[in-house]
Amino acid sequence: MKSKFIKIEYKTLEAMIGLYCRDLHGTVTHNLCADCGQLLTYAKARLDKCPYQEQKPTCAKCPIHCYKPAMREKVRNVMRYAGPRMLKHHPLLAIRHLLHGRSEAPPPRKG
Ligand SMILES: [Zn+2]
């Protein structure tokens, strides 16, 4: 069972990658191209393994940087594009993401 928090993170990722893919790759919403589908799967897998879970900061602030360099570059492009547009399309998720981005990362849990 995934926590509510992780589910919201999933939703935010899906919304951002979906927006990016639709606008830049011409795909229909909820139907990602192969490349973006792979990125989403990868990002979700990283989220599952994130040691912070409930205390997770936004990835921009996270001290771990668990993404492979190539994937990090892709996700950064997605965030840069979708970030400002999220306010219009998914205001609640966007505001939550902005507020969340202000909190600092706690020290990683041991063990
Ligand atoms: Zn795409």
Side-chain angles (χ1 to χ4, degrees), residues 17 20-22 24-27 31-37:
I17 296 177
Y20 175 84
C21 191
R22 191 193 63 193
L24 273 77
H25 303 153
T27 45
N31 206 355
L32 300 175
C33 71
D35 222 38
C36 293

Side-chain angles (χ1 to χ4, degrees), residues 13-104:
L13 271 170
E14 279 167 8
M16 288 182 115
I17 296 177
L19 201 66
Y20 175 84
C21 191
R22 191 193 63 193
D23 285 7
L24 273 77
H25 303 153
T27 45
V28 182
T29 325
H30 302 309
N31 206 355
L32 300 175
C33 71
D35 222 38
C36 293
Q38 202 182 35
L39 179 63
L40 181 61
T41 307
Y42 181 82
K44 282 182 170 178
R46 297 320 304 172
L47 201 52
D48 279 345
K49 291 191 168 58
C50 180
Y52 289 121
Q53 296 296 312
E54 307 288 325
Q55 283 95 42
K56 196 184 91 53
T58 49
C59 289
K61 282 210 170 187
C62 188
I64 296 179
H65 295 304
C66 61
Y67 280 48
K68 282 190 285 188
M71 287 301 195
R72 204 190 322 174
E73 193 52 42
K74 280 188 191 181
V75 108
R76 200 181 287 156
N77 284 337
V78 170
M79 298 291 161
R80 202 180 294 143
Y81 180 83
R85 287 163 180 84
M86 282 288 282
L87 268 174
K88 194 175 148 207
H89 295 278
H90 302 277
L92 288 178
L93 287 178
I95 286 163
R96 187 199 148 277
H97 196 71
L98 283 174
L99 290 176
H100 190 60
R102 291 214 192 120
S103 56
E104 293 296 328

